[in-house]
């Protein structure tokens, strides 16, 4: 029996991956309506669609999937009450977000003239993204502080208090989900009192959820403290970006940290796997069936190359900063449309692991390249 599949218009390869199940209808995710999903057997969304009783009032889907790590846009309790199978895609774009962070800091290090290895890094939220970032930073030999009260409450070790992290870290990276209730809500986790604890010359990076930082308080503080450097990929009132805050942000991007081509395809494929399991359908495809060969898949280097040179072959965050910057003079409604357009028309970006590095490199570069996530050819030479 053929199924009706409704999918976010920006989700890649849905037709190719889900074709065996039935017909696919593409819909604009942010404007998805009850009429769009009324006949859906499978509903595939991203973070811009609020999936709740209002959206599903006239629908009876068998399976709903979101190709995202976060689920704050899904009323999971309602889906459970209705007996609707559900899956997110935890980790699908975690590596892409980690590589956004590394790319931003390594580019910034060259701009500001500092050594990332000489800075203390703080990670707030060590789930799929924060945990992988911690692993890569420690692989580079960096000093890393971590804060995650929910995980600490579960008995995990190695955490520091938020106050300590904010007062000791030179680079603060936000990677928490957005929660408003429970013992450890993350909504406005950093507001005026917490932001004032940031040490001089701190770099504050948010590639998690916009509202975990009070954006109004952040703007006020930035006006008083020019020593702070902001890198923001997420915003409190998306898709409307505050142009005043963006103007004082060193790297301002339109919620694309996780937008690697690999991560997008992986997200769609993870929903395919979950759907097969939920509906009792035998899986016939693998992720490798859908990952294309990169335009540049191998690079031969000599002793003069740097880690930043390798990073630039995969990603330059200042490109996305420039693209968003060109939209900030527009009226609020147009800024919102431009924000979504930049996401919809985002150019293909491959992950570090899709590039193999070969040639002559010293042990420092070899170790850096591996820790960052590049593939280092076994036959590469040490000069």
């Amino acid at each position: 029996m053929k199924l009706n599949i409704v999918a976010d218009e920006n989700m890649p390869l849905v037709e190719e991956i889900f074709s065996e199940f039935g017909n696919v209808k593409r819909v604009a995710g942010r404007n998805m309506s009850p009429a769009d999903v009324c006949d859906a057997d499978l509903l595939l969304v991203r973070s811009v669609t609020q999936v709740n009783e209002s959206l599903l009032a006239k629908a009876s889907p068998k399976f709903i999937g979101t190709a995202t790590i976060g689920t704050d846009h899904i009323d999971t309790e309602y889906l459970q009450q209705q007996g609707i199978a559900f899956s997110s895609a935890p980790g699908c774009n975690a590596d892409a977000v980690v590589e956004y962070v590394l790319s931003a800091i390594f580019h910034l290090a060259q701009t500001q003239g500092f050594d990332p290895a000489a800075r203390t890094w703080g990670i707030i939220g060590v789930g799929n993204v924060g945990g992988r970032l911690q692993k890569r930073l420690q692989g580079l030999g960096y000093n890393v502080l971590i804060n995650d009260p929910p995980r600490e409450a579960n008995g995990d070790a190695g955490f520091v208090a938020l106050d300590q992290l904010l007062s000791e870290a030179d680079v603060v990276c936000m990677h928490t989900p957005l929660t408003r209730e429970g013992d450890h809500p993350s909504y406005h986790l950093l507001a005026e009192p917490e932001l004032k604890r940031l040490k001089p010359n701190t770099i504050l990076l948010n590639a998690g959820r916009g509202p975990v930082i009070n954006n109004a308080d952040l703007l006020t503080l930035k006006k008083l403290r020019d020593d702070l450097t902001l890198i923001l990929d997420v915003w409190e009132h998306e898709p409307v970006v505050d142009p005043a805050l963006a103007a004082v942000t060193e790297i301002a991007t339109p919620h694309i940290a996780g937008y690697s081509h690999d991560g997008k395809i992986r997200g769609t494929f993870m929903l395919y796997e979950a759907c097969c399991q939920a509906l009792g359908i035998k899986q016939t495809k693998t992720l490798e069936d859908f990952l294309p060969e990169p335009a540049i898949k191998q690079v031969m280097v000599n002793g003069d190359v740097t880690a930043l040179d390798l990073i630039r072959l995969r990603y330059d965050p200042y490109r996305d900063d420039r693209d968003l910057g060109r939209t900030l003079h527009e009226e609020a409604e147009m800024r919102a449309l431009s924000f979504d357009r930049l996401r919809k028309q985002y150019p293909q970006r491959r992950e570090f692991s899709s590039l193999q590095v070969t040639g002559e490199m010293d042990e420092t570069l070899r170790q850096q390249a591996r820790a960052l996530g590049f593939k280092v050819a076994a036959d590469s030479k040490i000069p």
Side-chain angles (χ1 to χ4, degrees), residues 7 49 56 78 160 190 210 226 249 330 380:
T49 301
L56 302 175
Y78 175 74
V160 302
L190 299 192
D226 194 48
T249 298
E330 301 170 343
S380 57

Side-chain angles (χ1 to χ4, degrees), residues 129-148:
V129 175
R132 296 187 196 202
L133 176 60
Q134 178 190 6
K135 184 176 180 180
R136 293 208 205 185
L137 293 175
Q138 290 176 335
L140 288 163
Y142 294 178
N143 182 38
V144 184
L145 303 175
I146 56 173
N147 170 264
D148 194 320

Side-chain angles (χ1 to χ4, degrees), residues 193-249:
E194 294 79 21
L195 292 167
K196 284 184 174 179
R197 294 190 179 98
L198 293 170
K199 65 185 293 188
N201 302 308
T202 293
I203 299 166
L204 176 61
L205 185 152
N206 189 7
R209 288 290 185 264
V212 302
I213 300 178
N214 184 315
N215 281 199
D217 289 356
L218 181 60
L219 176 58
T220 298
L221 182 68
K222 174 60 178 172
K223 289 178 178 178
L224 297 173
R225 289 187 52 182
D226 194 48
D227 62 293
L228 300 178
T229 298
L230 307 182
I231 300 174
L232 300 177
D233 180 58
V234 290
W235 310 82
E236 187 165 4
H237 303 293
E238 292 180 19
V240 179
V241 173
D242 180 353
L245 179 57
V248 296
T249 298

Side-chain angles (χ1 to χ4, degrees), residues 299-357:
V299 59
M300 180 171 286
V301 303
N302 60 33
D304 295 327
V305 78
T306 67
L308 180 58
D309 292 327
L310 298 179
I311 288 171
R312 282 177 171 149
L313 290 173
R314 281 296 174 254
Y315 183 51
D316 177 3
Y318 281 103
R319 178 202 67 194
D320 292 326
D321 172 81
R322 291 189 295 271
D323 287 344
L324 181 62
R326 284 191 284 268
T327 74
L328 297 177
H329 68 282
E330 301 170 343
E331 295 297 323
E333 184 177 352
M334 285 303 299
R335 286 204 309 276
L337 292 174
S338 295
F339 187 90
D340 282 344
R341 174 181 53 78
L342 290 173
R343 288 159 57 86
K344 181 178 180 179
Q345 299 177 0
Y346 193 69
Q348 187 177 115
R349 175 178 123 213
R350 299 305 300 269
E351 294 177 1
F352 292 175
S353 62
S354 67
L355 180 65
Q356 184 177 62
V357 184

Side-chain angles (χ1 to χ4, degrees), residues 111-289:
T111 301
Q112 295 187 347
F114 68 86
D115 180 2
R119 299 294 177 97
T120 294
W121 292 64
I123 304 173
I124 301 174
V126 286
N128 273 303
V129 175
R132 296 187 196 202
L133 176 60
Q134 178 190 6
K135 184 176 180 180
R136 293 208 205 185
L137 293 175
Q138 290 176 335
L140 288 163
Y142 294 178
N143 182 38
V144 184
L145 303 175
I146 56 173
N147 170 264
D148 194 320
R151 291 181 178 272
E152 188 173 15
N154 287 336
D156 294 343
F159 300 100
V160 302
L162 181 61
D163 286 355
Q164 179 183 346
L165 186 148
L166 294 176
S167 63
E168 295 183 6
D170 302 295
V171 182
V172 176
C173 302
M174 305 292 295
H175 297 294
T176 70
L178 178 60
T179 57
R180 298 173 184 267
E181 300 175 349
D183 295 333
H184 306 286
S186 65
Y187 175 75
H188 283 186
L189 181 64
L190 299 192
E192 181 183 10
E194 294 79 21
L195 292 167
K196 284 184 174 179
R197 294 190 179 98
L198 293 170
K199 65 185 293 188
N201 302 308
T202 293
I203 299 166
L204 176 61
L205 185 152
N206 189 7
R209 288 290 185 264
V212 302
I213 300 178
N214 184 315
N215 281 199
D217 289 356
L218 181 60
L219 176 58
T220 298
L221 182 68
K222 174 60 178 172
K223 289 178 178 178
L224 297 173
R225 289 187 52 182
D226 194 48
D227 62 293
L228 300 178
T229 298
L230 307 182
I231 300 174
L232 300 177
D233 180 58
V234 290
W235 310 82
E236 187 165 4
H237 303 293
E238 292 180 19
V240 179
V241 173
D242 180 353
L245 179 57
V248 296
T249 298
E250 174 67 23
I251 299 177
T253 53
H255 200 154
I256 47 71
Y259 265 37
S260 72
H261 195 56
D262 310 61
K264 289 180 179 180
I265 295 174
R266 191 179 297 114
T268 304
F269 189 79
M270 287 176 70
L271 297 187
Y272 163 76
E273 291 180 307
C275 186
C276 286
Q277 184 173 8
L279 302 184
I281 299 172
K282 182 180 179 180
Q283 183 176 324
T284 61
K285 301 167 183 173
T286 68
L287 176 61
E288 288 66 31
D289 294 334

